[in-house]
Amino acid sequence: MSFTADTFMYVLLIYAEAIVAIVCLLGLMWGDPGTIKRTPEACFPLPAAVAEKLRAGNRNLLGAGTHGNIHERGRTFCVRCLVWRPNDTVHHCRTCQRCVADFDHHCGVFGRCIAGEGCAGNMGYFKILILMFFAGFGTWASFMSALYPASSRY
């Protein structure tokens, strides 16, 4: 096998795709998917049903009277996270036990919530990582067909 300019270009392209994939993995690992933070503004005032149960020492806030989430004044209170959600696009992740804006899914491969609209949150990293998988496979297939042309196989 001789090292030609075409071979150099394929190797360079494979390294570039690998670097982009690593950056996307780091973005997925340390990027915030859009978690609703627990701040005094996000947690208070507590709805009356939740405050009553907490004063009584009842930690099961999902029982009778709350039915999951509480809706008041155009906002929703998550009784699992004890935060007010700003709008209807926020969803509670059962795996992470936190509310995430523009929730798409909890990825079992990466162990993270994948969330964001378009490329916001960590959705952009996720989409580009999937794209790099297909681009890498295409680059490999193209390199193999250039390295071993069909006419020389038989």
Side-chain angles (χ1 to χ4, degrees), residues 11-69:
V11 170
L12 187 65
L13 187 58
I14 289 170
Y15 276 113
E17 291 166 350
I19 289 170
V20 170
I22 289 170
V23 167
C24 288
L25 282 172
L26 293 175
L28 276 174
M29 190 180 301
W30 284 298
D32 182 27
T35 305
I36 305 300
K37 308 284 189 270
R38 288 190 177 122
T39 63
E41 294 82 23
C43 295
F44 295 106
L46 287 176
V50 173
E52 195 175 296
K53 284 187 167 226
L54 289 175
R55 274 190 224 107
N58 187 354
R59 294 179 183 233
N60 182 14
L61 300 176
L62 296 175
T66 60
H67 302 294
N69 299 321

Side-chain angles (χ1 to χ4, degrees), residues 124-147:
Y125 294 124
F126 185 74
K127 287 178 179 178
I128 293 172
L129 187 64
I130 299 299
L131 177 70
M132 285 300 106
F133 169 77
F134 290 109
F137 183 77
T139 303
W140 171 81
S142 177
F143 178 63
M144 287 293 121
S145 67
L147 192 61

